Each structure stands twice: as C-alpha cells, then as structure tokens.
Amino acid sequence: VTADVAMAEELARRVAVALENASLYRDAQAAVRLRDEFLSVASHELKTPLTSLKLQHGLIERAVGEEGRERVRPRLATAMRQVQRLSALVDSLLDVSRISLGRLTLEPADIDLGQAVRDAVDRMEEVFTQAGCSVRVEVPGPLPGRWDSLRLDQVLVNLLTNAAKYGAGRPVLVEAAFEGEKDVRVSVRDEGIGIAAEDLPRLFGRFERAVSERHYGGLGLGLYISRQIVDAMGGRIEVESRPGAGSVFTVRLPRGGR
Ligand code: ADP
C-alpha cells in the first residue's frame, strides 16, 4: 500500500509540474489544449488506483483479524491518512481541470449560510485542535439564501484550513452576516503569519503560494479553486493581511443563487 501511495503521489506531483510548465506557454492554443486534456486524463486516471487502495485498506483490516489488527492498526491508519491526502489532491486537480474546461457547475438550493459555517467549523475541529488554535463563530441569526452547499462548504473548508495552517496557533474568528438586502458576507480572521503585500495579488492564481512560506507544504490550488467557485456564484473574495499580524479572507455572495 505504501509503495502504491508513493507512486500515486509521484504521479500527482508530475501532473502538477507538467501543468505548471505547460501554462508557461499560455498563449499557444495547442499547448493549452494539451495541458487541459492531460490534466483531465491524468486526474481521472489517478482516481482509479486511489479507489482500489481504499478498498484494499478495508479488506486488509478485515483479513488480519482482531489480534493482527492491534499490531498493524497504526500503519493502516497512516496509510489511510496518505490515501486521503492524495484523494484531496486529486480532487483539487479534477476541479482545476473542470474549471479550465468551463465545466464547473453549480447546483443551488435553499440553505442557511450560518448553519453551513457552523457545520464546516464543527467538522474541522480536529484540524484546529492539532494546530493549537481556538475558533469562535459569530453569526447573528438565520442567513437564508440559495447556494450550492457542497461548493460553498469547499470554500469555507479551504479558508478554515488555511487559518489553521498559517494561524500560528492563535485564535481564529469566523463571522457571517447580511450585507445589505441582497448579499451575505463571511470572513475568516486569523492572527498568524500574514502575507507580504507583494504576494497578495498573486495568491488567487493557479499554483500560487506566498514566496516566504514554501516550507508549509501545499500545492497552491485552494485559493484558486475557491476564487473560481465564488466567481461562478456571482460573488467576490478578498484578503487583507499584514505580515506577522494575520489575515482576513472575506467572501461576499449574492443571496439569490447561481
Ligand atoms: P496552499 O495552502 O495549499 O499552498 P492556497 O491556495 O490555499 O494553497 O493558498 C495559497 C497561498 O496563500 C499559501 O501557500 C499561503 O502562502 C497563502 N495563504 C493562504 N491563506 C493564508 C493565511 N490565512 N495566512 C497566511 N498565508 C496564507
């Protein structure tokens, strides 16, 4: 399983690098088409071994029996964490592929933004605990609107993950509120490492990361995907930040769904 994970991870990395290289030739239409096609095929291809790995994981767990399970459990758990990491990565690549092919579709439904925020924060509890961050949610009351709940959740989880990751273990504040009659606003505020002014304009680009923070690990796709989702919903995403003081990411969305 470990060898499979390493191979799949290496493949995923190559996809990312190839995509980055191809995008240097952004003007050449053929290169762009090739890049999009490659990304689509490669990310779909990566899905298959991952599904098989998850299945095998379950089979191994059952096959080793009660006694063996105690011995191999830590390793199985590690393998599963790696598989989940890869799954998230492949899902990101698939999203990038969908975006570049213009196939990011939304399915708006009536939901409550406040509830969506609380749900996302609840599910992230362990991530915050591990990062040593406390998190506070401030929502004034129901915030009904029409949004694609999975895609909205994806944006929230991305901003929350970043707040935990770059938040230097300090408190995180998540606020949601109406903005005028037609819009809502969600902000995620951390008091962490912050972002240098010269990096701010690039952060929402594909594979872009703050120059000074390479040692944190990550592909630089979360904010790109989040921005594309928010754009598709007819909203806007913005960041204010000061190095050493922290960052606030704010998403504004119209309530009448797209
Ligand atoms: P990733 O975190 O996987 O690198 P993202 O697209 O989510 O990718 O973020 C892009 C970059 O923006 C990060 O690499 C980091 O440099 C910077 N960044 C994002 N959120 C924060 C934050 N809350 N505080 C400081 N830097 C951040």
Side-chain angles (χ1 to χ4, degrees), residues 158 162 165-166 190 195 203 208-210 218-220 222-223 247:
N158 176 239
N162 284 347
K165 188 166 159 189
Y166 304 108
D190 68 64
I195 301 157
L203 283 194
E208 294 286 6
R209 317 198 57 216
L219 267 186
L223 286 179
S247 314

Side-chain angles (χ1 to χ4, degrees), residues 112 114 118 139-143:
D112 177 8
R118 279 188 291 267
V139 181
L143 297 167

Side-chain angles (χ1 to χ4, degrees), residues 12-32:
R13 215 176 266 129
R14 279 193 217 167
V15 173
V17 170
L19 180 74
E20 217 170 4
N21 290 341
S23 66
L24 292 176
Y25 304 98
R26 209 167 302 193
D27 299 332
Q29 263 188 13
V32 169

